[in-house]
Amino acid sequence: MRLGLALGYWGRGPDPERLALAREAERLGYDSVWTAEAWGSDAFTPLTWIAAHTSRIRLGTAVAQMAARSPTTTAMHALTLDHLSGGRVLLGLGLSGPQVVEGWYGRPFPKSPLTATREYVDVVRQVLRRESPVALDGRFHPLPYPGADGTRLGKPLKSITHPLRADLPILLGAEGPKNVAQTTRIADGWLPLYWSPTRTDVYEASLGGDGGLRDGFMVAPLVRATVCDDVGEGLLPVKAMLGFYIGGMGHAARNFHADLMGRMGYEEEARRVQELFLAGRREEAVLAVPDAFADEISLVGPRARIAERLELWRKGPVTDLLVLATDPHTLRTLADLNS
């Protein structure tokens, strides 16, 4: 099981310690470093900055939002950074949800998310393979543009720049069972948002059941990790993150994160967190997140406790553990335990 460092997206502004963390992760032998985006900082610019200050560690987006860019634009970002970094890019993509897609990007959330995702990946792969001009008779990402409000002068084009790697890995941040199942067919890896090593049955059917996953397919969940003496105190940042995603990252009637928590056995608790958060009672919402749920999807506590729990993660299909950590001590401890 490889280790990756997940840096997420910026809050109010850039964290000056993140570059140092990325460089320390590379020194410790971490395989990858990942950035994200919500509705503030983008995913590719910080990753480019990290690329300029590292030499070996792979560079991933977890995730770049599909609604933020056309698939050809995303492919341009990926192939450009792949050249500049010497072939280190891992392209993680995600649909986000209606609140962000329509509220921030001003675009309709696709009524058929599976089709939209499949078309997006198809176009990106066409650009990277550069076998012929890019064309797709698609519902959501047709190329050339066929709309009645267009000029009808568009023509299929092939990237001027030759991509460094035609097989640049594409991973998807999928949550629903059908989306996860499609991910195993069309992508090179999956980026689970919440992964519990004690509830692998939640995804067993989507991941191929007894047939398993094809060789080389990445399963790379994000896990918040903190080496500390007080488990309850260490879980508070995990609960704060869960409270925000479950309560605030979506509408009361359509929140993929809350739905996922429900499928993992905490449906009643998820709805309660939503209710409190949407009522403006955010501190109560965070406290309403069950400690048990926060604990099973994270690695928190003294070194010995983390070592014991890390064995659970190794037993399942996880190939890459993307560690959300803010201190070098935790990074060093995990590197030592995973060696």
Side-chain angles (χ1 to χ4, degrees), residues 106-187:
R107 303 182 58 182
F109 188 79
K111 293 182 179 179
S112 179
L114 294 180
T115 302
T117 299
R118 191 164 57 248
E119 290 182 6
Y120 200 102
V121 172
D122 187 343
V123 172
V124 172
R125 290 207 189 278
Q126 285 190 55
V127 174
L128 295 174
R129 287 170 179 157
R130 202 178 177 275
E131 295 172 344
S132 59
V134 180
L136 181 70
D137 182 17
R139 175 180 173 187
F140 297 99
H141 301 289
L143 286 170
Y145 180 68
D149 56 343
T151 64
R152 301 300 176 96
L153 299 177
K155 64 181 231 179
L157 299 171
K158 185 160 59 171
S159 174
I160 296 171
T161 304
H162 291 233
L164 183 64
R165 293 183 296 163
D167 58 351
L168 186 154
I170 297 175
L171 299 89
L172 296 175
E175 293 184 48
K178 292 181 180 179
N179 201 353
V180 174
Q182 174 175 267
T183 296
T184 66
R185 297 191 299 270
I186 69 171

Side-chain angles (χ1 to χ4, degrees), residues 31-84:
D31 178 75
S32 56
V33 58
W34 302 74
T35 56
E37 59 191 12
W39 49 90
S41 61
D42 77 283
F44 287 101
T45 308
L47 208 57
T48 304
W49 183 249
I50 292 168
H53 292 83
T54 56
S55 60
R56 177 198 58 79
I57 198 165
R58 293 199 289 176
L59 310 158
T61 55
V63 295
Q65 296 177 348
M66 296 184 207
R69 308 162 189 86
S70 70
T72 48
T73 306
T74 293
M76 290 167 65
H77 278 296
L79 72 86
T80 301
L81 182 53
D82 206 43
H83 268 292
L84 292 174

Side-chain angles (χ1 to χ4, degrees), residues 2 4 19-20 22 74 84 93 102 149 151 186 189 198 228 239 263-264 308 334:
R2 297 176 293 250
L19 178 58
T74 293
L84 292 174
L93 302 171
E102 298 184 3
D149 56 343
T151 64
I186 69 171
T198 61
C228 60
K239 294 177 66 169
R263 288 196 299 275
M264 296 180 76
E308 180 181 344
L334 283 171

Side-chain angles (χ1 to χ4, degrees), residues 2-21:
R2 297 176 293 250
L3 294 179
L5 169 64
L7 295 174
Y9 45 78
W10 296 354
R12 184 182 296 270
D15 182 346
E17 301 301 321
R18 290 194 174 189
L19 178 58
L21 276 178

